[in-house]
Structure formats: C-alpha cells, structure tokens
C-alpha cells in the first residue's frame, strides 16, 4: 500500500510558503514505512533543525481504480481520517532550490502520522465542509475545512488515478491549511475533526 500526499491545496498555505498557485493538483508519495500510528510519540530526526507539522484530512481508498471519472470518484473512498504530513522544511527548501525531489524531507520514518480511527463520510452528509484543526500544548495552531481546498476530494482522486493505480487501503493526505510551523521536543499535539479527537501524541 502507498501514501499519496497533495501539496499546495489551501490558498492561505500557498501564500505563507510563497509558492505558486498550482493549475492542477501537486502530489508526492511517502512509503508505508513512514506511518506512525496509535498515538505513539514522534521523534524529531537529528538531521533537521526545522521540522514542521502539516495537519491534513486523509482519505482511505476502498476499491482499486485507474483513470477514475469525476462522477464515480466518490465510490473510491468511504472514510475520512486525520493525519500529519511531517516535513523537514529546512531540507525541503534546500532540495527545492536545487530542483531535486523532496523525498528526504517528506518520506522519512514516522513522517506520516495517522489518527486512531476514521469517520464514515456519511457522518458529514449535509454538514460539510469537514472542519478540522491541530492544537499544540492546548493552543490551536492550524484549522481548516474541506471547503477551502483548491482541489476537492473528487479532483484529487481523478488526477492521481490518471497516473497511478489507486488500491484498496491506500491513504491520500489531502493538503494542509495555513499555520504550519515547527515542533519541538515536549510538544503535545492533538488533532480533531469537528469535536472528535483523532490524534493525541507527544514529540520527543
Ligand atoms: Zn502536506
């Protein structure tokens, strides 16, 4: 199984990193070995001095598909979860400046934090957009909702599946809203969709 992440999907976040507005979804991948689950502590790697949190809604793919149409895209996921795309921003900036792939800064061990459970998408029927946020040490640092995405869930599934076969169990991290910033040892991170807490772990 694989983890596919969308970059630059919230206008305010694109502006805070001074990136260009994309004309189509930007995606990259993390290996399955990058997953950190069950609220286990996250260890900042020794080689980064600027390790950023990116809270994101996560889709769990429920059937295999390639070249998926916009009309059927909703049939490919039933559950929405919450995750953090941890990013070594200092390393990413160095790689980007040289035009090199981002992998080292995005795909390292523990870089894909996944919440303790998923919510069925029917729970949001009529109450969309899906609201989510990240609190650090009791203070909200990032909040967003699916209505603020540049490319919605269907756009994302259509675009990825044009290039890569989606398989049951794959995870799609759908991009982060504004407010990304560094974590330091001792930080306590809590992530919510609506009032449901799905992430609750510490940094060391
Ligand atoms: Zn991200």
């Amino acid at each position: 199984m694989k983890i596919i992440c969308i970059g630059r999907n919230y206008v305010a976040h694109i502006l805070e990193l001074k990136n260009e507005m994309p004309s189509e979804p930007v995606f990259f991948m993390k290996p399955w070995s990058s997953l950190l689950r069950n609220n286990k502590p996250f260890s900042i790697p020794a080689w980064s001095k600027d390790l950023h949190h990116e809270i994101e809604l996560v889709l769990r793919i429920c059937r295999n598909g390639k070249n998926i149409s916009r009309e059927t895209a909703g049939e490919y996921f039933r559950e929405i979860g919450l995750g953090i795309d941890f990013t070594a921003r200092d390393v990413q900036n160095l790689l980007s400046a040289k035009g090199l792939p981002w992998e080292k800064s995005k795909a390292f061990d523990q870089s894909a934090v996944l919440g303790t459970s998923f919510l069925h998408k029917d729970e949001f029927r009529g109450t969309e957009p899906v609201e989510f946020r990240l609190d650090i040490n009791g203070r909200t640092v990032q909040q967003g909702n699916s209505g603020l995405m540049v490319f919605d869930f269907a756009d994302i599934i259509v675009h990825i599946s044009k290039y890569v076969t989606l398989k049951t169990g794959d995870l799609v991290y759908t991009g982060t809203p504004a407010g990304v910033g560094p974590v330091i040892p001792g930080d306590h991170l809590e992530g919510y969709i609506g009032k449901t807490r799905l992430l609750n772990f510490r940094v060391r």
Side-chain angles (χ1 to χ4, degrees):
M1 284 182 281
K2 57 192 173 294
I3 301 165
I4 303 151
C5 303
I6 301 296
R8 304 178 187 175
N9 204 22
Y10 288 81
V11 173
H13 172 62
I14 295 167
L15 294 176
E16 76 179 343
L17 291 188
K18 299 186 174 64
N19 282 318
E20 265 178 46
M21 202 68 70
S23 56
E24 59 179 29
V26 174
F27 75 88
F28 56 93
M29 294 198 212
K30 293 182 188 249
W32 208 244
S33 52
S34 67
L35 268 183
L36 180 64
R37 290 184 271 202
N38 303 318
N39 286 325
K40 287 191 184 136
F42 170 76
S43 300
I44 297 176
W47 43 264
S48 176
K49 297 280 174 283
D50 194 22
L51 207 293
H52 278 199
H53 54 79
E54 296 191 356
I55 190 83
E56 313 200 356
L57 293 173
V58 179
L59 308 181
R60 180 147 66 183
I61 299 300
C62 62
R63 53 187 283 204
N64 298 354
K66 170 83 176 166
N67 290 322
I68 297 166
S69 69
R70 200 179 154 81
E71 293 67 41
T72 61
E75 297 169 15
Y76 288 81
F77 70 97
R78 285 192 289 264
E79 295 170 302
I80 301 172
L82 193 64
I84 295 178
D85 163 21
F86 271 125
T87 303
R89 194 72 68 202
D90 48 352
V91 176
Q92 185 191 28
N93 288 341
L94 282 173
L95 293 167
S96 295
K98 293 181 188 167
L100 292 170
W102 294 342
E103 256 79 0
K104 274 199 297 192
S105 67
K106 287 281 197 182
F108 58 90
D109 291 353
Q110 301 193 335
S111 63
V113 181
L114 186 63
T116 44
S117 59
F118 285 80
L119 305 176
H120 199 283
K121 67 179 179 186
D122 286 351
E123 290 184 37
F124 305 104
R125 194 156 284 170
T127 63
E128 286 189 82
V130 181
E131 303 270 354
F132 63 104
R133 72 172 205 269
L134 174 66
D135 291 358
I136 299 186
N137 305 325
R139 192 173 69 86
T140 299
V141 294
Q142 285 191 273
Q143 53 188 334
N145 69 65
S146 56
L148 297 172
M149 297 192 302
V150 177
F151 301 103
D152 65 15
F153 296 147
D155 291 333
I156 290 168
I157 285 174
V158 168
H159 186 76
I160 295 170
S161 72
K162 183 174 165 185
Y163 302 93
V164 179
T165 301
L166 286 172
K167 299 249 186 181
T168 300
D170 286 352
L171 301 174
V172 180
Y173 283 57
T174 59
T176 196
V180 300
V183 293
I184 56 171
D187 279 347
H188 177 211
L189 275 62
E190 295 169 283
Y192 295 80
I193 293 180
K195 292 184 169 60
T196 309
R197 188 172 68 178
L198 297 166
L199 292 168
N200 178 22
F201 68 100
R202 285 193 180 274
V203 174
R204 63 183 182 192

